[in-house]
Amino acid sequence: MDGLTPSRRRLLAGALAGGIGAAAGCLGTGSDGDADDGDGAELRLSLSRVDGTLRDRYVRDPDDPPEGWDGSALDAALAGESYTTQGRKPFFAAPDDPAYVLDEGTYRELGSVVVDEVRETYPVLRLFETDGDVESAVDGSKDGSLPEADQRAVRIAYFAARARGDEGGYPVGLVQRGGYAYRTDPARDDSALLDDDGPDRVSYRDTAYRVEIERERFHEAVYRPAATAVAERPERMEAILRARFVGPRIERGDLSAEARRIVEQADMEEYAETHPYSDAYVELLRAMDARPYIDGNVRKDAGASETEEEMIRYGEEYYERYLRVVDGADD
């Protein structure tokens, strides 16, 4: 499966730091675009080898689907039976992030189509911070007395309440309408907060909140799952995945010895140079189709406000390629 290590992902999660100006063909640290004197911005490259084949990474066994997939939808799609899901895609698949399974020797791409729209009314829990005593509120944490459905609702509504105070973001897709929507019958049936005589205050993370519940109308898409046969042979499936997910292809023999040395270092840790770059670095950047980092206004043209990630093929192996620009003064 995925050969990326968590430590590598954390290392490369930093965004572009400091003000970085660039003129065509050079990186500068000042807004006037003066040439870099060697103490300013660096272009850093890191490579993470992807273990195994792309099939190992992207193709799932129907008997071991990812958590969150609708198992009944998968069974129905593979059997060609009629089935629909409401309000959520059955496999979380999108055109740029498809899902695949190997079913009895046939590789299938999973997806869904919208076949209808329905209107539903759901209770929505919102929390509002209050100055009341925390001890007198019902404990909404997992150690409290509320049912599990309400514990989940409080946890998600808490993120929305926190975001109103500009203290942090919230998980998109879980928070809805500024709170938590009780969409399923089991969640509604098990809830204590939804009872007419339910608690009007809860506590979470040492803060007391006023409970507000409103019944609101939602318009939801109805999805029909689909499983399209795309390949019978592993080699054909690998080619399909390469075409979809892999960018530049680089042959080792096409690079100079010095450019190959840079690849080896970037694979082990991280490689960085300050502009003007060495001939070998420029050679490698061109081979990876990272030309905006060489020739243009890096901040504007290369989209370097955050780490850029792309999968490449080097020789017979796949790599996740990360490029980022950082201010040398930050290290």
Side-chain angles (χ1 to χ4, degrees):
M1 296 298 288
D2 192 344
L4 300 179
T5 62
S7 59
R8 173 62 62 84
R9 287 192 181 277
R10 287 195 293 270
L11 173 66
L12 298 172
L16 176 65
I20 301 175
C26 68
L27 281 178
T29 57
S31 59
D32 57 359
D34 291 339
D36 195 339
D37 61 5
D39 296 326
E42 290 183 326
L43 178 59
R44 298 189 175 184
L45 167 67
S46 183
L47 297 172
S48 265
R49 193 173 311 191
V50 176
D51 292 337
T53 66
L54 296 180
R55 301 189 309 279
D56 296 332
R57 193 178 200 194
Y58 291 107
V59 179
R60 304 304 298 257
D61 185 330
D63 294 329
D64 183 28
E67 184 178 357
W69 279 18
D70 187 316
S72 296
L74 178 59
D75 293 341
L78 295 179
E81 299 173 350
S82 177
Y83 187 88
T84 59
T85 62
Q86 181 176 318
R88 61 186 293 273
K89 293 182 178 181
F91 314 117
F92 302 107
D96 60 344
D97 188 21
Y100 297 93
V101 297
L102 174 58
D103 174 49
E104 296 183 350
T106 298
Y107 293 92
R108 299 181 183 276
E109 179 177 335
L110 301 179
S112 58
V113 294
V114 177
V115 295
D116 202 353
E117 179 189 66
V118 295
R119 293 181 296 176
E120 297 285 358
T121 300
Y122 300 124
V124 178
L125 168 69
R126 299 185 183 90
L127 300 178
F128 297 90
E129 192 170 338
T130 177
D131 295 332
D133 185 12
V134 172
E135 283 71 21
S136 63
V138 175
D139 185 357
S141 71
K142 65 178 182 180
D143 298 323
S145 60
L146 288 176
E148 185 175 342
D150 287 333
Q151 293 174 12
R152 171 179 168 82
V154 168
R155 182 175 70 255
I156 293 173
Y158 156 77
F159 289 120
R162 184 188 64 178
R164 294 190 206 106
D166 296 326
E167 296 180 7
Y170 59 78
V172 176
L174 295 179
V175 171
Q176 295 183 319
R177 308 279 179 94
Y180 175 80
Y182 287 83
R183 288 178 171 271
T184 66
D185 290 334
R188 292 191 293 270
D189 294 341
D190 295 342
S191 173
L193 292 177
L194 298 181
D195 289 344
D196 292 338
D197 57 351
D200 59 3
R201 290 196 316 125
V202 298
S203 64
Y204 193 79
R205 296 192 177 180
D206 300 321
T207 302
Y209 293 92
R210 174 173 56 85
V211 172
E212 177 184 284
I213 295 175
E214 296 286 345
R215 295 182 61 82
E216 300 188 5
R217 175 162 291 181
F218 290 76
H219 293 81
E220 297 182 337
V222 177
Y223 299 93
R224 183 177 65 219
T228 304
V230 294
E232 299 290 338
R233 296 180 293 107
E235 297 80 7
R236 175 71 177 275
M237 189 67 234
E238 192 74 10
I240 291 171
L241 295 172
R242 278 198 305 271
R244 185 178 285 274
F245 294 110
V246 181
R249 324 292 169 86
I250 306 170
E251 295 298 331
R252 299 174 190 268
D254 292 341
L255 296 180
S256 65
E258 186 62 20
R260 292 197 298 270
R261 185 193 65 80
I262 294 175
V263 171
E264 293 172 1
Q265 180 172 336
D267 185 23
M268 292 186 295
E269 42 182 343
E270 189 175 46
Y271 182 84
E273 284 191 19
T274 303
H275 197 277
Y277 309 132
S278 67
D279 291 343
Y281 202 20
V282 171
E283 175 191 356
L284 180 57
L285 292 172
R286 285 178 176 158
M288 294 189 301
D289 198 22
R291 294 172 183 268
Y293 287 89
I294 303 171
D295 304 319
N297 182 318
V298 171
R299 187 180 187 120
K300 181 177 180 181
D301 298 338
S305 59
E306 59 185 23
T307 300
E308 180 188 85
E309 176 182 351
E310 184 178 28
M311 189 184 298
I312 67 171
R313 193 179 193 191
Y314 178 60
E316 297 299 317
E317 297 178 294
Y318 303 109
Y319 290 83
E320 291 283 7
R321 183 214 76 185
Y322 300 89
L323 280 171
R324 60 174 178 148
V325 180
V326 299
D327 189 338
D330 287 347
D331 284 354

